[in-house]
Amino acid sequence: MLLKRLTETNGLSGNEKEVRNLIIEEIKDYVDDIEVDRIGNIIAHKKGKVDAPKVMVAAHMDEVGLIVTGIQESGLIKFTAVGGLDQRILVSKTVKIGKDNIPGVIGAKPIHLQKKGERKKALQMNQLYIDIGVDNKKQAEKVVKIGDYIAFDSNYVEFGKDLVKAKGLDDRVGCGALIELLKSDTNISIHAAFTVMEEVGLVGAGPAGYTIDPDIAIILEGTTCSDVPDVDSHLLATELGKGPAISLMDRTTYFNKNFRDIIVEVAKENNIPYQFRRTTFGGNDSGKIHMAKEGAISATISVPCRYIHSPVSVMNKNDYENAKKLLKAIIERIEKGGIC
């Protein structure tokens, strides 16, 4: 299964090579040109009978994780975050370090040795370490070095009613949807960008947008889902099972209203459930792509994911399937013209 392979492949920001190789292998027989630019983005072109408007579809390859910053005399590993992480989710998680996937466990001072005040506070990252099962620094340095990336050890699991648990759903759901679009038949040319380092500042999006210079850009994402207890209704960004989310605005983009209205129209015409991403925090690759060169009309279509940026993100398979259907229907609508 494509999404299982995508999520179980490690690809932290700045270290997307394994994911990049997987994607190239998947799309190479379905596109006319593939380029890996100097920063690591995949830029692919699927030629169609119609070349205008120039359509760019983007998804980022990277995921959040950790990086080794020190090795203590005891052999325990110190680390810091790569991308936005909630420090409270880290303790007791299993991880894989470096290219050899050295197994480790994130540990902390035992609770019965913590002071009363310490027990009442969430553990900070500087209080944590990774235990790789060695006795000293010399042994640790044989298998781990400063600068090694640290990925969460988490498998793709289907459970409950149409739910999936996996790491990296943000944004392997987007990568999966874009791969399947490229494998499908389209009359209009598609310029695809699988970008790097979105999680650390939309780094790959700018060069990709500048290279492609699109008229229309569609960004595919995994986005936060807040349908859990003790969240005020006005803070419910998205909800599982209610369809792909169409963004209104976020920290980096005010999305084109006319294009958004057309997407809603397309969803209704094709009986595809949809919802709006109702909060505005965060941002995605649109923030850089829609400003490249002369600018582009942009939209973001997202799959809601609970517990995002953690080893146990959860999505509804129907939302993912409907996001793919909506993407294909939008492309077919663009082929008819009248959007830009």
Side-chain angles (χ1 to χ4, degrees):
M1 182 186 296
L2 177 59
L3 189 58
K4 174 180 169 66
R5 287 187 287 121
L6 282 167
T7 56
E8 291 185 353
T9 300
N10 297 330
L12 277 67
S13 297
N15 191 46
E16 297 91 351
K17 182 179 179 180
E18 291 182 23
V19 178
R20 182 166 50 244
N21 290 345
L22 189 161
I23 291 171
I24 290 172
E25 186 63 28
E26 286 289 328
I27 69 173
K28 62 183 175 61
D29 295 328
Y30 299 91
V31 298
D32 297 277
D33 300 296
I34 299 178
E35 172 193 353
V36 177
D37 67 15
R38 279 180 289 183
I39 205 168
N41 297 314
I42 300 172
I43 309 292
H45 184 201
K46 182 181 178 71
K47 296 179 181 177
K49 298 176 183 177
V50 180
D51 289 324
K54 185 182 281 189
V55 179
M56 175 181 183
V57 185
H60 68 88
M61 295 182 285
D62 59 313
E63 63 190 284
V64 298
L66 308 165
I67 192 169
V68 176
T69 57
I71 303 173
Q72 297 183 320
E73 291 300 324
S74 62
L76 298 173
I77 309 298
K78 300 298 288 184
F79 58 87
T80 194
V82 176
L85 281 172
D86 183 345
Q87 298 181 79
R88 295 172 297 178
I89 63 107
L90 294 175
V91 68
S92 79
K93 298 302 186 293
T94 55
V95 295
K96 296 178 180 179
I97 306 176
K99 60 182 178 60
D100 294 324
N101 290 322
I102 302 301
V105 178
I106 300 178
K109 184 195 296 185
I111 191 167
H112 59 276
L113 296 181
Q114 293 175 16
K115 298 176 182 178
K116 186 176 181 180
E118 291 178 314
R119 297 179 189 178
K120 295 180 180 181
K121 297 178 181 179
L123 293 168
Q124 299 296 303
M125 202 173 298
N126 60 10
Q127 296 174 280
L128 306 176
Y129 51 79
I130 297 173
D131 187 342
I132 61 169
V134 298
D135 295 326
N136 54 58
K137 183 176 183 179
K138 187 175 181 180
Q139 291 178 1
E141 288 177 333
K142 291 179 179 179
V143 292
V144 172
K145 64 181 183 298
I146 292 174
D148 278 349
Y149 285 91
I150 305 164
F152 293 118
D153 182 9
S154 180
N155 294 328
Y156 175 102
V157 176
E158 297 187 4
F159 72 105
K161 187 176 180 181
D162 298 320
L163 299 186
V164 166
K165 181 278 294 183
K167 72 171 182 64
L169 289 175
D170 175 18
D171 182 31
R172 305 294 158 68
V173 290
C175 293
L178 180 48
I179 288 168
E180 295 200 27
L181 175 67
L182 293 174
K183 289 182 176 180
S184 70
D185 294 326
T186 59
N187 288 320
I188 197 166
S189 296
I190 302 295
H191 297 264
F194 297 88
T195 62
V196 297
M197 294 181 276
E198 190 264 6
E199 298 292 2
V200 292
L202 320 183
V203 176
Y210 192 89
T211 297
I212 294 172
D213 189 19
D215 299 309
I216 297 172
I218 302 170
I219 288 77
L220 306 175
E221 263 286 17
T223 196
T224 184
C225 177
S226 310
D227 58 348
V228 294
D230 301 322
V231 175
D232 293 339
S233 59
H234 70 283
L235 295 176
L236 289 175
T238 64
E239 300 176 65
L240 287 194
K242 294 193 174 182
I246 303 168
S247 290
L248 303 173
M249 64 177 291
D250 60 29
R251 184 175 51 81
T252 63
T253 310
Y254 178 84
F255 294 95
N256 184 273
K257 185 179 184 300
N258 291 334
F259 191 21
R260 184 172 69 240
D261 289 344
I262 290 170
I263 292 172
V264 169
E265 182 181 297
V266 166
K268 290 178 178 178
E269 288 175 351
N270 290 273
N271 296 312
I272 300 170
Y274 72 93
Q275 58 186 305
F276 290 113
R277 185 182 185 273
R278 290 169 285 176
T279 54
T280 60
F281 50 78
N284 62 42
D285 278 346
S286 172
K288 293 290 182 69
I289 291 170
H290 85 286
M291 296 191 297
K293 288 191 176 179
E294 296 178 1
I297 292 171
S298 71
T300 292
I301 308 299
S302 301
V303 176
C305 298
R306 287 180 188 150
Y307 327 124
I308 202 164
H309 286 198
S310 83
V312 291
S313 294
V314 171
M315 74 164 200
N316 187 300
K317 289 193 291 182
N318 296 317
D319 292 337
Y320 178 55
E321 293 301 320
N322 282 316
K324 292 188 289 185
K325 291 178 184 177
L326 181 56
L327 174 63
K328 190 66 164 62
I330 294 167
I331 295 299
E332 291 171 354
R333 175 64 178 81
I334 294 172
E335 291 172 0
K336 298 176 181 178
I339 290 180
C340 69

